[in-house]
Amino acid sequence: MALEDGDTVRPRGQQVNGEVSGVPPPRGATAAGGSRTDMVAEGWEPALCDGDVTARAAPRRAGQPEEALMSELSELVQKVVKSSSWWERHGVDISILACSFLLLPAGFLCLRSAQAIPFLAGVLILGVVHHTLTVKGSHLASHNALTESKSWGKVWAIFFIELCSAFTVEQGTYNHVKIHHGYTNVIGLGDSSTWKVPFLNRYVYMFIAPLAVPVLTPLVALGLLRNVEWKAALRTLCCMFLGFYCHYWLLLHISGFQSPWSALLCMLLTRSLLAHPYIHVNIFQHIGLPMFAADRKPKRIHLMSLGVLNLPRNALLDWSFGHSLISCHVEHHLFPSLSDNMCLKIKPIVSQYLKQKKLPYNEDTYSSRLWLFLQRYEELMVHAPPITELVGIQ
């Protein structure tokens, strides 16, 4: 969703002399991760220290407004995309998803073993495959990044989002693509409020609550069906049931589980295997970064460079979640229709360009962000988020 032009940014609530002023949170919006903004007339610069990400604004260059910056970067990226083969644009990610499907028989057969090592291998295989299909597959499908055909894109969206993930395509796509991407870190809209559970303490939220994701996801999806047409709701219900029943049936008849409860317990175990990093990644990369009011947000290139953070590459998470959710999240928010592999390919161009223009390019480690959230959980996940004041961006 394109952002409106002509917005000025004069938010409130930056941290000055240790004091943070804020606003009441609509829908429990996120906190501006304790970033300290030193107000200067000409601009400001970011820094990474002690796991915290400090916002920085770039001075506006004469004759080079925000629209020109985004246009120039888009041209650079478009040249790379046009020179890339189909394999680079779509084939690599499709192959990863295909390999995941091919691993399913091995996972179910390993669960037949009475020995611990093969059984645990089966749990690991099915857990990784489940998250690859439901996170990576659903995410790419929601952005129509798996194919250049809109018709096939709709088919893949239904398959990955509804059949594999037990979520409704219409609501999932609207909430993620239109709201979260269109209004990243704008309070009351794309501010990651859905990931906040203020009544839970830090340790329960960070280490115990993620185990409930496989149960909560379909329950949330069922609640959202009230907002879609009855045909879409019926389709979603059928896909959700088919996905759950196929998993359950395979555990009983292929893996050899003797009771329904043991099969359901195994389903919960495999579906929650990577739930902890799933929750962590979703909060680490936006919450704790600058927040903006809906009527005073910066232009797109500043909004995305300020409000998005990259984590380091990780083989397991890169495979299961995709580059666009881990090490190329900034690139993904700037160019959301690109596949994971293309986000990785344009990463050097985007990072170099933003740094040349003195725009923020936020990066931090997983462990650093985890420690930050444990230390400042009340501020980041419970209290009202302060709105960031940006001086120099008009």
Side-chain angles (χ1 to χ4, degrees), residues 64 66-80 301 305 330-331 334-335 346-354 357 359:
Q64 194 172 20
E66 291 84 350
E67 294 87 349
L69 291 174
M70 190 64 206
S71 178
E72 184 179 7
L73 178 59
S74 297
E75 290 180 5
L76 295 174
V77 170
Q78 192 62 25
K79 289 179 182 178
V80 177
I301 192 168
S305 64
V330 174
E331 289 74 15
L334 286 168
F335 304 98
I346 69 168
K347 181 181 175 72
I349 297 173
V350 173
S351 61
Q352 181 180 11
Y353 183 85
L354 294 181
K357 301 301 181 182
L359 291 169

PDB file of all heavy atoms in Angstrom, residues 64 66-80 301 305 330-331 334-335 346-354 357 359:
ATOM      1  N   GLN A  64      16.625  16.629  -3.561  1.00  0.00           N
ATOM      2  CA  GLN A  64      16.502  15.181  -3.555  1.00  0.00           C
ATOM      3  C   GLN A  64      15.482  14.773  -2.490  1.00  0.00           C
ATOM      4  O   GLN A  64      15.826  14.245  -1.450  1.00  0.00           O
ATOM      5  CB  GLN A  64      17.853  14.524  -3.259  1.00  0.00           C
ATOM      6  CG  GLN A  64      17.864  13.029  -3.581  1.00  0.00           C
ATOM      7  CD  GLN A  64      19.258  12.452  -3.475  1.00  0.00           C
ATOM      8  OE1 GLN A  64      20.126  13.021  -2.843  1.00  0.00           O
ATOM      9  NE2 GLN A  64      19.481  11.318  -4.085  1.00  0.00           N
ATOM     10  N   GLU A  66      12.177  12.763  -0.670  1.00  0.00           N
ATOM     11  CA  GLU A  66      12.029  11.345  -0.363  1.00  0.00           C
ATOM     12  C   GLU A  66      11.569  10.532  -1.564  1.00  0.00           C
ATOM     13  O   GLU A  66      12.018   9.398  -1.775  1.00  0.00           O
ATOM     14  CB  GLU A  66      11.040  11.176   0.794  1.00  0.00           C
ATOM     15  CG  GLU A  66      11.549  11.670   2.137  1.00  0.00           C
ATOM     16  CD  GLU A  66      11.342  13.165   2.323  1.00  0.00           C
ATOM     17  OE1 GLU A  66      10.977  13.828   1.330  1.00  0.00           O
ATOM     18  OE2 GLU A  66      11.552  13.669   3.434  1.00  0.00           O
ATOM     19  N   GLU A  67      10.649  11.096  -2.363  1.00  0.00           N
ATOM     20  CA  GLU A  67      10.166  10.368  -3.535  1.00  0.00           C
ATOM     21  C   GLU A  67      11.303  10.068  -4.503  1.00  0.00           C
ATOM     22  O   GLU A  67      11.363   8.984  -5.096  1.00  0.00           O
ATOM     23  CB  GLU A  67       9.080  11.181  -4.248  1.00  0.00           C
ATOM     24  CG  GLU A  67       7.803  11.368  -3.435  1.00  0.00           C
ATOM     25  CD  GLU A  67       7.886  12.576  -2.524  1.00  0.00           C
ATOM     26  OE1 GLU A  67       8.988  13.138  -2.373  1.00  0.00           O
ATOM     27  OE2 GLU A  67       6.840  12.948  -1.954  1.00  0.00           O
ATOM     28  N   ALA A  68      12.228  11.008  -4.655  1.00  0.00           N
ATOM     29  CA  ALA A  68      13.358  10.805  -5.560  1.00  0.00           C
ATOM     30  C   ALA A  68      14.293   9.733  -5.036  1.00  0.00           C
ATOM     31  O   ALA A  68      14.840   8.928  -5.801  1.00  0.00           O
ATOM     32  CB  ALA A  68      14.118  12.115  -5.752  1.00  0.00           C
ATOM     33  N   LEU A  69      14.471   9.682  -3.724  1.00  0.00           N
ATOM     34  CA  LEU A  69      15.317   8.649  -3.126  1.00  0.00           C
ATOM     35  C   LEU A  69      14.743   7.263  -3.384  1.00  0.00           C
ATOM     36  O   LEU A  69      15.457   6.346  -3.805  1.00  0.00           O
ATOM     37  CB  LEU A  69      15.452   8.892  -1.626  1.00  0.00           C
ATOM     38  CG  LEU A  69      16.259  10.110  -1.172  1.00  0.00           C
ATOM     39  CD1 LEU A  69      16.168  10.274   0.343  1.00  0.00           C
ATOM     40  CD2 LEU A  69      17.711   9.968  -1.606  1.00  0.00           C
ATOM     41  N   MET A  70      13.441   7.111  -3.153  1.00  0.00           N
ATOM     42  CA  MET A  70      12.814   5.808  -3.366  1.00  0.00           C
ATOM     43  C   MET A  70      12.815   5.434  -4.827  1.00  0.00           C
ATOM     44  O   MET A  70      13.032   4.274  -5.194  1.00  0.00           O
ATOM     45  CB  MET A  70      11.367   5.837  -2.829  1.00  0.00           C
ATOM     46  CG  MET A  70      10.704   4.464  -2.774  1.00  0.00           C
ATOM     47  SD  MET A  70      11.523   3.350  -1.618  1.00  0.00           S
ATOM     48  CE  MET A  70      11.090   1.757  -2.331  1.00  0.00           C
ATOM     49  N   SER A  71      12.603   6.412  -5.700  1.00  0.00           N
ATOM     50  CA  SER A  71      12.615   6.154  -7.131  1.00  0.00           C
ATOM     51  C   SER A  71      13.998   5.717  -7.607  1.00  0.00           C
ATOM     52  O   SER A  71      14.130   4.787  -8.413  1.00  0.00           O
ATOM     53  CB  SER A  71      12.172   7.409  -7.891  1.00  0.00           C
ATOM     54  OG  SER A  71      12.225   7.207  -9.285  1.00  0.00           O
ATOM     55  N   GLU A  72      15.024   6.381  -7.088  1.00  0.00           N
ATOM     56  CA  GLU A  72      16.391   6.035  -7.473  1.00  0.00           C
ATOM     57  C   GLU A  72      16.761   4.632  -7.010  1.00  0.00           C
ATOM     58  O   GLU A  72      17.344   3.841  -7.761  1.00  0.00           O
ATOM     59  CB  GLU A  72      17.362   7.055  -6.884  1.00  0.00           C
ATOM     60  CG  GLU A  72      18.808   6.852  -7.308  1.00  0.00           C
ATOM     61  CD  GLU A  72      19.732   7.905  -6.727  1.00  0.00           C
ATOM     62  OE1 GLU A  72      19.272   8.712  -5.887  1.00  0.00           O
ATOM     63  OE2 GLU A  72      20.915   7.923  -7.114  1.00  0.00           O
ATOM     64  N   LEU A  73      16.392   4.298  -5.772  1.00  0.00           N
ATOM     65  CA  LEU A  73      16.669   2.957  -5.264  1.00  0.00           C
ATOM     66  C   LEU A  73      15.881   1.907  -6.040  1.00  0.00           C
ATOM     67  O   LEU A  73      16.406   0.831  -6.353  1.00  0.00           O
ATOM     68  CB  LEU A  73      16.320   2.893  -3.772  1.00  0.00           C
ATOM     69  CG  LEU A  73      16.502   1.528  -3.099  1.00  0.00           C
ATOM     70  CD1 LEU A  73      17.947   1.044  -3.223  1.00  0.00           C
ATOM     71  CD2 LEU A  73      16.079   1.596  -1.630  1.00  0.00           C
ATOM     72  N   SER A  74      14.638   2.201  -6.375  1.00  0.00           N
ATOM     73  CA  SER A  74      13.816   1.257  -7.140  1.00  0.00           C
ATOM     74  C   SER A  74      14.422   0.968  -8.502  1.00  0.00           C
ATOM     75  O   SER A  74      14.388  -0.175  -8.977  1.00  0.00           O
ATOM     76  CB  SER A  74      12.399   1.814  -7.313  1.00  0.00           C
ATOM     77  OG  SER A  74      11.764   1.972  -6.065  1.00  0.00           O
ATOM     78  N   GLU A  75      14.986   1.997  -9.132  1.00  0.00           N
ATOM     79  CA  GLU A  75      15.630   1.783 -10.434  1.00  0.00           C
ATOM     80  C   GLU A  75      16.832   0.854 -10.315  1.00  0.00           C
ATOM     81  O   GLU A  75      17.045  -0.024 -11.157  1.00  0.00           O
ATOM     82  CB  GLU A  75      16.046   3.122 -11.025  1.00  0.00           C
ATOM     83  CG  GLU A  75      14.885   3.993 -11.480  1.00  0.00           C
ATOM     84  CD  GLU A  75      15.354   5.315 -12.057  1.00  0.00           C
ATOM     85  OE1 GLU A  75      16.585   5.494 -12.187  1.00  0.00           O
ATOM     86  OE2 GLU A  75      14.500   6.167 -12.375  1.00  0.00           O
ATOM     87  N   LEU A  76      17.607   1.038  -9.262  1.00  0.00           N
ATOM     88  CA  LEU A  76      18.766   0.172  -9.050  1.00  0.00           C
ATOM     89  C   LEU A  76      18.341  -1.274  -8.827  1.00  0.00           C
ATOM     90  O   LEU A  76      18.933  -2.210  -9.380  1.00  0.00           O
ATOM     91  CB  LEU A  76      19.573   0.671  -7.846  1.00  0.00           C
ATOM     92  CG  LEU A  76      20.242   2.037  -7.976  1.00  0.00           C
ATOM     93  CD1 LEU A  76      20.870   2.451  -6.649  1.00  0.00           C
ATOM     94  CD2 LEU A  76      21.303   2.015  -9.078  1.00  0.00           C
ATOM     95  N   VAL A  77      17.303  -1.452  -8.040  1.00  0.00           N
ATOM     96  CA  VAL A  77      16.816  -2.800  -7.752  1.00  0.00           C
ATOM     97  C   VAL A  77      16.179  -3.421  -8.984  1.00  0.00           C
ATOM     98  O   VAL A  77      16.362  -4.610  -9.264  1.00  0.00           O
ATOM     99  CB  VAL A  77      15.816  -2.759  -6.576  1.00  0.00           C
ATOM    100  CG1 VAL A  77      15.103  -4.095  -6.416  1.00  0.00           C
ATOM    101  CG2 VAL A  77      16.533  -2.385  -5.283  1.00  0.00           C
ATOM    102  N   GLN A  78      15.431  -2.614  -9.732  1.00  0.00           N
ATOM    103  CA  GLN A  78      14.768  -3.135 -10.926  1.00  0.00           C
ATOM    104  C   GLN A  78      15.771  -3.638 -11.949  1.00  0.00           C
ATOM    105  O   GLN A  78      15.516  -4.627 -12.652  1.00  0.00           O
ATOM    106  CB  GLN A  78      13.882  -2.045 -11.544  1.00  0.00           C
ATOM    107  CG  GLN A  78      12.934  -2.542 -12.613  1.00  0.00           C
ATOM    108  CD  GLN A  78      11.933  -3.555 -12.093  1.00  0.00           C
ATOM    109  OE1 GLN A  78      11.613  -3.578 -10.917  1.00  0.00           O
ATOM    110  NE2 GLN A  78      11.453  -4.417 -12.984  1.00  0.00           N
ATOM    111  N   LYS A  79      16.908  -2.996 -12.060  1.00  0.00           N
ATOM    112  CA  LYS A  79      17.947  -3.464 -12.978  1.00  0.00           C
ATOM    113  C   LYS A  79      18.424  -4.861 -12.588  1.00  0.00           C
ATOM    114  O   LYS A  79      18.638  -5.719 -13.446  1.00  0.00           O
ATOM    115  CB  LYS A  79      19.127  -2.496 -12.973  1.00  0.00           C
ATOM    116  CG  LYS A  79      18.841  -1.160 -13.649  1.00  0.00           C
ATOM    117  CD  LYS A  79      20.059  -0.251 -13.583  1.00  0.00           C
ATOM    118  CE  LYS A  79      19.771   1.110 -14.223  1.00  0.00           C
ATOM    119  NZ  LYS A  79      20.952   2.019 -14.126  1.00  0.00           N
ATOM    120  N   VAL A  80      18.570  -5.090 -11.293  1.00  0.00           N
ATOM    121  CA  VAL A  80      18.996  -6.406 -10.814  1.00  0.00           C
ATOM    122  C   VAL A  80      17.919  -7.457 -11.089  1.00  0.00           C
ATOM    123  O   VAL A  80      18.209  -8.563 -11.529  1.00  0.00           O
ATOM    124  CB  VAL A  80      19.324  -6.359  -9.309  1.00  0.00           C
ATOM    125  CG1 VAL A  80      19.697  -7.740  -8.791  1.00  0.00           C
ATOM    126  CG2 VAL A  80      20.449  -5.376  -9.050  1.00  0.00           C
ATOM    127  N   ILE A 301      10.409   5.482   2.147  1.00  0.00           N
ATOM    128  CA  ILE A 301      11.781   5.007   2.307  1.00  0.00           C
ATOM    129  C   ILE A 301      12.271   5.254   3.729  1.00  0.00           C
ATOM    130  O   ILE A 301      12.995   4.425   4.296  1.00  0.00           O
ATOM    131  CB  ILE A 301      12.718   5.673   1.275  1.00  0.00           C
ATOM    132  CG1 ILE A 301      14.078   4.948   1.275  1.00  0.00           C
ATOM    133  CG2 ILE A 301      12.873   7.168   1.531  1.00  0.00           C
ATOM    134  CD1 ILE A 301      14.961   5.333   0.087  1.00  0.00           C
ATOM    135  N   SER A 305      13.082   2.247   6.461  1.00  0.00           N
ATOM    136  CA  SER A 305      14.453   2.177   6.961  1.00  0.00           C
ATOM    137  C   SER A 305      14.512   2.423   8.463  1.00  0.00           C
ATOM    138  O   SER A 305      15.372   1.880   9.156  1.00  0.00           O
ATOM    139  CB  SER A 305      15.343   3.176   6.222  1.00  0.00           C
ATOM    140  OG  SER A 305      14.938   4.506   6.468  1.00  0.00           O
ATOM    141  N   VAL A 330      14.588  -5.591   5.957  1.00  0.00           N
ATOM    142  CA  VAL A 330      14.544  -4.220   5.451  1.00  0.00           C
ATOM    143  C   VAL A 330      14.273  -4.224   3.954  1.00  0.00           C
ATOM    144  O   VAL A 330      13.414  -3.488   3.453  1.00  0.00           O
ATOM    145  CB  VAL A 330      15.876  -3.488   5.752  1.00  0.00           C
ATOM    146  CG1 VAL A 330      15.891  -2.105   5.087  1.00  0.00           C
ATOM    147  CG2 VAL A 330      16.095  -3.361   7.253  1.00  0.00           C
ATOM    148  N   GLU A 331      15.010  -5.072   3.235  1.00  0.00           N
ATOM    149  CA  GLU A 331      14.826  -5.189   1.784  1.00  0.00           C
ATOM    150  C   GLU A 331      13.405  -5.640   1.455  1.00  0.00           C
ATOM    151  O   GLU A 331      12.782  -5.152   0.506  1.00  0.00           O
ATOM    152  CB  GLU A 331      15.839  -6.178   1.209  1.00  0.00           C
ATOM    153  CG  GLU A 331      17.276  -5.691   1.199  1.00  0.00           C
ATOM    154  CD  GLU A 331      17.936  -5.682   2.569  1.00  0.00           C
ATOM    155  OE1 GLU A 331      17.392  -6.311   3.517  1.00  0.00           O
ATOM    156  OE2 GLU A 331      19.001  -5.052   2.714  1.00  0.00           O
ATOM    157  N   LEU A 334      10.909  -2.785   1.815  1.00  0.00           N
ATOM    158  CA  LEU A 334      11.032  -1.810   0.740  1.00  0.00           C
ATOM    159  C   LEU A 334      10.504  -2.372  -0.580  1.00  0.00           C
ATOM    160  O   LEU A 334       9.909  -1.645  -1.383  1.00  0.00           O
ATOM    161  CB  LEU A 334      12.495  -1.395   0.583  1.00  0.00           C
ATOM    162  CG  LEU A 334      13.045  -0.456   1.667  1.00  0.00           C
ATOM    163  CD1 LEU A 334      14.559  -0.355   1.566  1.00  0.00           C
ATOM    164  CD2 LEU A 334      12.419   0.928   1.563  1.00  0.00           C
ATOM    165  N   PHE A 335      10.699  -3.673  -0.819  1.00  0.00           N
ATOM    166  CA  PHE A 335      10.286  -4.324  -2.073  1.00  0.00           C
ATOM    167  C   PHE A 335       9.601  -5.651  -1.741  1.00  0.00           C
ATOM    168  O   PHE A 335      10.160  -6.726  -1.945  1.00  0.00           O
ATOM    169  CB  PHE A 335      11.504  -4.536  -2.978  1.00  0.00           C
ATOM    170  CG  PHE A 335      12.257  -3.273  -3.264  1.00  0.00           C
ATOM    171  CD1 PHE A 335      13.403  -2.946  -2.550  1.00  0.00           C
ATOM    172  CD2 PHE A 335      11.810  -2.379  -4.231  1.00  0.00           C
ATOM    173  CE1 PHE A 335      14.090  -1.774  -2.798  1.00  0.00           C
ATOM    174  CE2 PHE A 335      12.490  -1.197  -4.483  1.00  0.00           C
ATOM    175  CZ  PHE A 335      13.632  -0.890  -3.764  1.00  0.00           C
ATOM    176  N   ILE A 346      19.520  -8.493  -3.641  1.00  0.00           N
ATOM    177  CA  ILE A 346      19.559  -7.020  -3.665  1.00  0.00           C
ATOM    178  C   ILE A 346      20.054  -6.432  -2.352  1.00  0.00           C
ATOM    179  O   ILE A 346      20.227  -5.211  -2.251  1.00  0.00           O
ATOM    180  CB  ILE A 346      18.175  -6.434  -3.990  1.00  0.00           C
ATOM    181  CG1 ILE A 346      17.193  -6.675  -2.847  1.00  0.00           C
ATOM    182  CG2 ILE A 346      17.645  -6.968  -5.319  1.00  0.00           C
ATOM    183  CD1 ILE A 346      15.904  -5.896  -2.957  1.00  0.00           C
ATOM    184  N   LYS A 347      20.283  -7.252  -1.358  1.00  0.00           N
ATOM    185  CA  LYS A 347      20.698  -6.758  -0.039  1.00  0.00           C
ATOM    186  C   LYS A 347      21.929  -5.841  -0.105  1.00  0.00           C
ATOM    187  O   LYS A 347      21.920  -4.764   0.507  1.00  0.00           O
ATOM    188  CB  LYS A 347      20.960  -7.943   0.893  1.00  0.00           C
ATOM    189  CG  LYS A 347      21.372  -7.554   2.308  1.00  0.00           C
ATOM    190  CD  LYS A 347      21.640  -8.799   3.144  1.00  0.00           C
ATOM    191  CE  LYS A 347      22.169  -8.436   4.525  1.00  0.00           C
ATOM    192  NZ  LYS A 347      21.131  -7.848   5.382  1.00  0.00           N
ATOM    193  N   PRO A 348      23.011  -6.212  -0.812  1.00  0.00           N
ATOM    194  CA  PRO A 348      24.173  -5.306  -0.862  1.00  0.00           C
ATOM    195  C   PRO A 348      23.844  -3.945  -1.478  1.00  0.00           C
ATOM    196  O   PRO A 348      24.366  -2.912  -1.032  1.00  0.00           O
ATOM    197  CB  PRO A 348      25.184  -6.076  -1.725  1.00  0.00           C
ATOM    198  CG  PRO A 348      24.755  -7.502  -1.650  1.00  0.00           C
ATOM    199  CD  PRO A 348      23.273  -7.468  -1.532  1.00  0.00           C
ATOM    200  N   ILE A 349      22.963  -3.942  -2.477  1.00  0.00           N
ATOM    201  CA  ILE A 349      22.592  -2.688  -3.135  1.00  0.00           C
ATOM    202  C   ILE A 349      21.800  -1.802  -2.192  1.00  0.00           C
ATOM    203  O   ILE A 349      22.069  -0.604  -2.062  1.00  0.00           O
ATOM    204  CB  ILE A 349      21.784  -2.972  -4.417  1.00  0.00           C
ATOM    205  CG1 ILE A 349      22.648  -3.736  -5.428  1.00  0.00           C
ATOM    206  CG2 ILE A 349      21.237  -1.692  -5.015  1.00  0.00           C
ATOM    207  CD1 ILE A 349      21.888  -4.205  -6.632  1.00  0.00           C
ATOM    208  N   VAL A 350      20.808  -2.390  -1.512  1.00  0.00           N
ATOM    209  CA  VAL A 350      19.960  -1.613  -0.611  1.00  0.00           C
ATOM    210  C   VAL A 350      20.764  -1.085   0.566  1.00  0.00           C
ATOM    211  O   VAL A 350      20.668   0.102   0.922  1.00  0.00           O
ATOM    212  CB  VAL A 350      18.780  -2.466  -0.120  1.00  0.00           C
ATOM    213  CG1 VAL A 350      17.992  -1.721   0.957  1.00  0.00           C
ATOM    214  CG2 VAL A 350      17.857  -2.829  -1.282  1.00  0.00           C
ATOM    215  N   SER A 351      21.561  -1.929   1.180  1.00  0.00           N
ATOM    216  CA  SER A 351      22.328  -1.502   2.352  1.00  0.00           C
ATOM    217  C   SER A 351      23.316  -0.406   1.981  1.00  0.00           C
ATOM    218  O   SER A 351      23.460   0.591   2.703  1.00  0.00           O
ATOM    219  CB  SER A 351      23.062  -2.693   2.968  1.00  0.00           C
ATOM    220  OG  SER A 351      23.978  -3.259   2.056  1.00  0.00           O
ATOM    221  N   GLN A 352      23.993  -0.566   0.850  1.00  0.00           N
ATOM    222  CA  GLN A 352      24.962   0.441   0.427  1.00  0.00           C
ATOM    223  C   GLN A 352      24.268   1.758   0.112  1.00  0.00           C
ATOM    224  O   GLN A 352      24.747   2.836   0.480  1.00  0.00           O
ATOM    225  CB  GLN A 352      25.740  -0.056  -0.789  1.00  0.00           C
ATOM    226  CG  GLN A 352      26.799   0.925  -1.283  1.00  0.00           C
ATOM    227  CD  GLN A 352      27.547   0.402  -2.499  1.00  0.00           C
ATOM    228  OE1 GLN A 352      27.155  -0.582  -3.107  1.00  0.00           O
ATOM    229  NE2 GLN A 352      28.637   1.073  -2.859  1.00  0.00           N
ATOM    230  N   TYR A 353      23.119   1.685  -0.558  1.00  0.00           N
ATOM    231  CA  TYR A 353      22.407   2.905  -0.935  1.00  0.00           C
ATOM    232  C   TYR A 353      21.929   3.668   0.305  1.00  0.00           C
ATOM    233  O   TYR A 353      22.100   4.885   0.407  1.00  0.00           O
ATOM    234  CB  TYR A 353      21.211   2.559  -1.821  1.00  0.00           C
ATOM    235  CG  TYR A 353      20.455   3.779  -2.305  1.00  0.00           C
ATOM    236  CD1 TYR A 353      20.860   4.468  -3.436  1.00  0.00           C
ATOM    237  CD2 TYR A 353      19.335   4.236  -1.609  1.00  0.00           C
ATOM    238  CE1 TYR A 353      20.176   5.595  -3.867  1.00  0.00           C
ATOM    239  CE2 TYR A 353      18.640   5.355  -2.036  1.00  0.00           C
ATOM    240  CZ  TYR A 353      19.067   6.036  -3.160  1.00  0.00           C
ATOM    241  OH  TYR A 353      18.396   7.156  -3.578  1.00  0.00           O
ATOM    242  N   LEU A 354      21.305   2.961   1.248  1.00  0.00           N
ATOM    243  CA  LEU A 354      20.796   3.627   2.443  1.00  0.00           C
ATOM    244  C   LEU A 354      21.929   4.266   3.244  1.00  0.00           C
ATOM    245  O   LEU A 354      21.791   5.378   3.763  1.00  0.00           O
ATOM    246  CB  LEU A 354      20.021   2.632   3.314  1.00  0.00           C
ATOM    247  CG  LEU A 354      18.721   2.086   2.719  1.00  0.00           C
ATOM    248  CD1 LEU A 354      18.058   1.126   3.692  1.00  0.00           C
ATOM    249  CD2 LEU A 354      17.767   3.209   2.356  1.00  0.00           C
ATOM    250  N   LYS A 357      23.168   7.436   1.547  1.00  0.00           N
ATOM    251  CA  LYS A 357      22.240   8.557   1.724  1.00  0.00           C
ATOM    252  C   LYS A 357      22.046   8.922   3.194  1.00  0.00           C
ATOM    253  O   LYS A 357      21.184   9.735   3.530  1.00  0.00           O
ATOM    254  CB  LYS A 357      20.882   8.220   1.093  1.00  0.00           C
ATOM    255  CG  LYS A 357      20.941   7.899  -0.389  1.00  0.00           C
ATOM    256  CD  LYS A 357      21.516   9.043  -1.200  1.00  0.00           C
ATOM    257  CE  LYS A 357      21.553   8.709  -2.688  1.00  0.00           C
ATOM    258  NZ  LYS A 357      22.149   9.808  -3.490  1.00  0.00           N
ATOM    259  N   LEU A 359      20.811   7.192   5.551  1.00  0.00           N
ATOM    260  CA  LEU A 359      19.553   6.685   6.079  1.00  0.00           C
ATOM    261  C   LEU A 359      19.839   5.496   6.988  1.00  0.00           C
ATOM    262  O   LEU A 359      20.841   4.804   6.825  1.00  0.00           O
ATOM    263  CB  LEU A 359      18.623   6.259   4.940  1.00  0.00           C
ATOM    264  CG  LEU A 359      18.071   7.379   4.065  1.00  0.00           C
ATOM    265  CD1 LEU A 359      17.388   6.817   2.832  1.00  0.00           C
ATOM    266  CD2 LEU A 359      17.093   8.224   4.865  1.00  0.00           C
TER     267      LEU A 359
END
